Amino acid sequence: MSARARWVDRRAYAYGLTAGLLLLMLAPLFRRPPVDSFPLSTYPMFSWGRHDARTTVERAVGVDSRGGRRPIPPRLVGSEEVLQARATLAQSIRQGARAARALCRGIAARVAEQSGHADIVKVEIRTDTFDAIAFFDGQETPLDSKLHATCKVGAR
């Protein structure tokens, strides 16, 4: 076999392999019903209709002397990471009232040490349900709320 023939064979092999891989990669586009998978995604969480936009969030809330509420930052819950702080709250809620009160007291102690939170007089650990679309439209009042623990901040 001549060098030219080997070169043609290698080139044909490379083209065939490339075409085969391309077809494999594009195959998910032709599945019925469409399947969301690697390497192509249809991002169904954005492309399919939603039944409702409610979301439930475990959170720590600071309450000022006038009754105003604002979220406690994750670092005061126990982690700089939002999802880790949420997991800490969810775990204490699952473990019951005693664990929720203990976490609440720890958060209240950290809040008391922060000058930026001097107006906070108590901390609440709660589960709130929101309409996510309405929330980002400025309607921040929960649709449903469950209070798990409440504790005073320092001697304020």
Side-chain angles (χ1 to χ4, degrees):
M1 181 181 268
S2 71
R4 173 138 175 88
R6 278 193 307 262
W7 182 80
V8 169
D9 283 347
R10 285 184 182 163
R11 193 169 183 185
Y13 176 77
Y15 282 133
L17 182 63
T18 301
L21 289 174
L22 186 60
L23 286 173
L24 280 173
M25 190 175 80
L26 295 175
L29 290 176
F30 304 104
R31 285 187 171 163
R32 295 290 172 236
V35 176
D36 183 51
S37 67
F38 178 82
L40 300 175
S41 178
T42 57
Y43 296 97
M45 70 287 271
F46 302 114
S47 62
W48 293 346
R50 62 178 167 264
H51 299 291
D52 72 40
R54 284 185 284 182
T55 187
T56 300
V57 181
E58 296 87 2
R59 62 190 196 141
V61 176
V63 182
D64 64 28
S65 58
R66 293 183 307 250
R69 288 177 165 75
R70 70 176 197 254
I72 299 292
R75 72 184 181 332
L76 298 180
V77 172
S79 174
E80 288 286 335
E81 297 295 328
V82 175
L83 293 178
Q84 288 178 359
R86 182 183 180 272
T88 299
L89 288 161
Q91 181 179 18
S92 74
I93 290 167
R94 270 193 318 274
Q95 290 175 346
R98 180 179 287 166
R101 281 193 303 273
L103 179 60
C104 187
R105 286 191 295 271
I107 294 169
R110 288 186 286 278
V111 166
E113 296 170 354
Q114 301 293 313
S115 60
H117 292 28
D119 60 327
I120 302 291
V121 295
K122 73 177 177 178
V123 171
E124 297 175 343
I125 293 185
R126 52 191 317 118
T127 301
D128 292 331
T129 300
F130 297 94
D131 179 323
I133 294 173
F135 182 89
F136 288 109
D137 213 16
Q139 301 167 8
E140 297 179 12
T141 304
L143 300 173
D144 187 40
S145 198
K146 181 173 182 181
L147 182 63
H148 301 283
T150 185
C151 51
K152 292 183 179 177
V153 175
R156 295 183 197 154

